[in-house]
Amino acid sequence: MKQLKGITWNHSRGFTSIVAAAQRFTELNPDVEIVWEKRSLQAFADEPINELAKRYDFLIIDHPWTGFAARTEVILPLNKFLSDEYLKDLAVNTVGKSHESYSIKGKQWALAIDAATPVAASRPDLFEKLNLKFPETFDDLIELSKTGMVAIPGIPQDTLMSFYMICSTLGEDVCTSDKEVISEKTGIKALQILRALGKNIKKENYDWNPIKVYEAMTLTDDYIYSPFAYGYTNYSREGYARKHLKFHDMVAIDDQKLITTLGGTGLAISANTEHQEIAGKFVEYVGSEATQKGVFFDNGGQPGHRQAWLDKRANDLTNNFFKDTLPALDRAFLRPRYHGHMYFQDRAGAPIREYMMNGGDEQQLLKDLNELYLKSLKE
């Protein structure tokens, strides 16, 4: 028996899906056992993959780590195990830029087995009960937020992603210059837009990630709408939570629907594994259309294969989660992936979070972000 270990994150979307796929793979390959461990969502975003690669054969990673991976080679390029035909098929069947997000310098460093971006979510039963207007524009959203029933993920990581989102929606992507994060004009406007919403958000939200937002929306009747949190199909499925959520595309700023910041996860192979051939076969199995639409989705997964998002059965079981949010995925902004970006990502969210809560000097905040950014370019 050959035993391999993997590390993923602690939610049904990230854990039960890959465990089920591993179990089925073992049934098809009785001489192989794959054991999965889990860590918190915050650790998933923060913990360096070079440390994880020392202890595990498989890593579920966040795509901003791709530049680091390509430079340090702590994970293996999957081109070594997967045929050009297979990889081309996945490129054609990508959800937005999910497949591209793990590709650098002509090599594929992970497979996008999971696709996500911030999307909107609502409690239709509460909208009907309270006779409230469903928001279509950001101005509508601000008006709705005055009820105190709008929830956002407000931890530093997510407020940074929201800043990226507003900048992209205003027509300028972050971190494209070697001198500044964003132009002063766009940066100030983006911050002011976030603050206009942030001042109406209950303080407890600023300690929440997307999972806590959705748990609050389903376990209580305190929140009616979330405008942008990374989507979780689980909360739209029968029998998962106390109340169902309905997921939607985004509100618009000046007729442009929000361009959110791409998330999702990738399956990678540690360069330290002693079972490269088996590991390659498992990655190929998990990323296949049949597995993504079948055992992976059926056990809580949120597939990265486009055919799963278009699948009628998957949409019937999730109240059209996939069909209704796919446009948001397709226009999502691909985060910077240069080698030092994690230095910036780990530090830039906290001051934006503080500004969303309490306001402040936008010019000084942008200056502070630029200092972090220039340091990250030297990492």
Side-chain angles (χ1 to χ4, degrees):
M1 177 69 72
K2 301 179 182 68
Q3 187 177 83
L4 292 83
K5 290 173 59 179
I7 182 70
T8 184
W9 46 291
N10 185 19
H11 189 270
S12 301
R13 181 179 132 199
F15 185 68
T16 58
S17 53
I18 197 68
V19 169
Q23 175 61 30
R24 182 60 183 141
F25 186 80
T26 293
E27 292 166 2
L28 297 170
N29 301 272
D31 62 333
V32 178
E33 182 182 22
I34 302 174
V35 176
W36 283 90
E37 297 178 6
K38 55 192 176 182
R39 54 187 174 144
S40 71
L41 185 62
Q42 193 61 49
F44 165 75
D46 293 345
E47 190 171 357
I49 63 172
N50 55 313
E51 295 299 320
L52 296 171
K54 296 174 183 177
R55 310 195 302 271
Y56 298 97
D57 300 276
F58 298 107
L59 314 176
I60 299 293
I61 69 170
D62 196 10
H63 68 252
W65 282 107
T66 308
F68 177 86
R71 186 164 173 177
T72 61
E73 297 188 352
V74 296
I75 58 178
L76 297 172
L78 299 180
N79 311 70
K80 181 176 181 179
F81 311 104
L82 306 175
S83 69
D84 290 343
E85 182 181 7
Y86 180 89
L87 289 172
K88 286 177 182 177
D89 178 71
L90 291 186
V92 169
N93 283 291
T94 185
V95 179
K97 295 182 176 69
S98 295
H99 184 74
E100 176 190 342
S101 70
Y102 298 101
S103 178
I104 284 185
K105 297 180 180 177
K107 294 181 179 180
Q108 194 70 30
W109 297 93
L111 283 196
I113 62 167
D114 171 291
T117 202
V119 293
S122 72
R123 282 280 303 274
D125 58 323
L126 294 180
F127 268 97
E128 181 177 358
K129 178 181 178 181
L130 300 173
N131 194 29
L132 290 171
K133 178 187 175 185
F134 190 84
E136 299 291 341
T137 68
F138 210 93
D139 288 340
D140 292 342
L141 169 61
I142 291 173
E143 192 63 30
L144 181 64
S145 71
K146 294 175 183 177
T147 65
M149 300 182 75
V150 169
I152 66 167
I155 61 172
Q157 169 82 6
D158 287 282
T159 51
L160 180 62
M161 298 304 102
S162 296
F163 178 68
Y164 289 176
M165 170 187 71
I166 301 297
C167 290
S168 292
T169 305
L170 294 176
E172 187 179 348
D173 292 339
V174 299
C175 302
T176 59
S177 162
D178 59 1
K179 296 179 181 178
E180 59 186 7
V181 176
I182 196 77
S183 70
E184 185 174 279
K185 180 181 178 181
T186 299
I188 287 176
K189 187 174 182 180
L191 289 170
Q192 290 173 342
I193 288 172
L194 288 173
R195 173 60 181 156
L197 174 66
K199 65 184 180 182
N200 297 329
I201 299 299
K202 290 178 182 175
K203 189 172 182 181
E204 63 184 357
N205 284 238
Y206 290 99
D207 295 319
W208 288 355
N209 62 22
I211 294 171
K212 289 186 177 180
V213 166
Y214 296 139
E215 293 291 353
M217 290 182 72
T218 54
L219 288 172
T220 77
D221 295 334
D222 295 341
Y223 293 98
I224 193 170
Y225 185 75
S226 172
F228 39 77
Y230 283 95
Y232 278 73
T233 174
N234 315 79
Y235 297 94
S236 63
R237 302 194 197 200
E238 186 72 35
Y240 185 78
R242 167 182 166 266
K243 293 288 185 178
H244 290 121
L245 296 183
K246 173 63 183 170
F247 288 86
H248 315 263
D249 203 346
M250 319 296 293
V251 298
I253 296 176
D254 297 331
D255 296 325
Q256 170 62 63
K257 289 190 175 182
L258 294 178
I259 299 173
T260 51
T261 307
L262 187 68
T265 65
L267 176 58
I269 301 174
S270 167
N272 292 318
T273 184
E274 297 178 357
H275 305 289
Q276 290 190 14
E277 183 178 352
I278 295 168
K281 288 180 178 179
F282 179 67
V283 169
E284 182 177 22
Y285 170 75
V286 177
S288 69
E289 178 181 341
T291 303
Q292 290 270 288
K293 289 167 66 173
V295 66
F296 187 82
F297 165 75
D298 289 339
N299 288 276
Q302 191 162 298
H305 199 290
R306 193 174 190 86
Q307 293 308 309
W309 283 67
L310 300 174
D311 185 59
K312 183 179 184 302
R313 184 179 76 95
N315 277 288
D316 286 346
L317 292 172
T318 60
N319 197 14
N320 288 325
F321 172 95
F322 297 104
K323 183 178 73 172
D324 290 346
T325 62
L326 184 56
L329 270 291
D330 281 342
R331 67 173 182 270
F333 165 64
L334 179 58
R335 265 178 284 172
R337 298 171 298 154
Y338 62 89
H339 177 71
H341 185 69
M342 295 306 294
Y343 177 90
F344 179 79
Q345 180 172 296
D346 290 345
R347 294 163 175 80
I352 297 174
R353 173 181 178 269
E354 173 64 24
Y355 174 84
M356 280 191 72
M357 287 192 293
N358 300 312
D361 184 334
E362 296 92 356
Q363 287 183 317
Q364 183 60 49
L365 175 50
L366 290 176
K367 182 180 177 181
D368 294 341
L369 294 179
N370 285 336
E371 288 181 4
L372 288 172
Y373 177 55
L374 294 177
K375 286 182 181 179
S376 76
L377 292 177
K378 298 175 182 178
E379 280 290 300

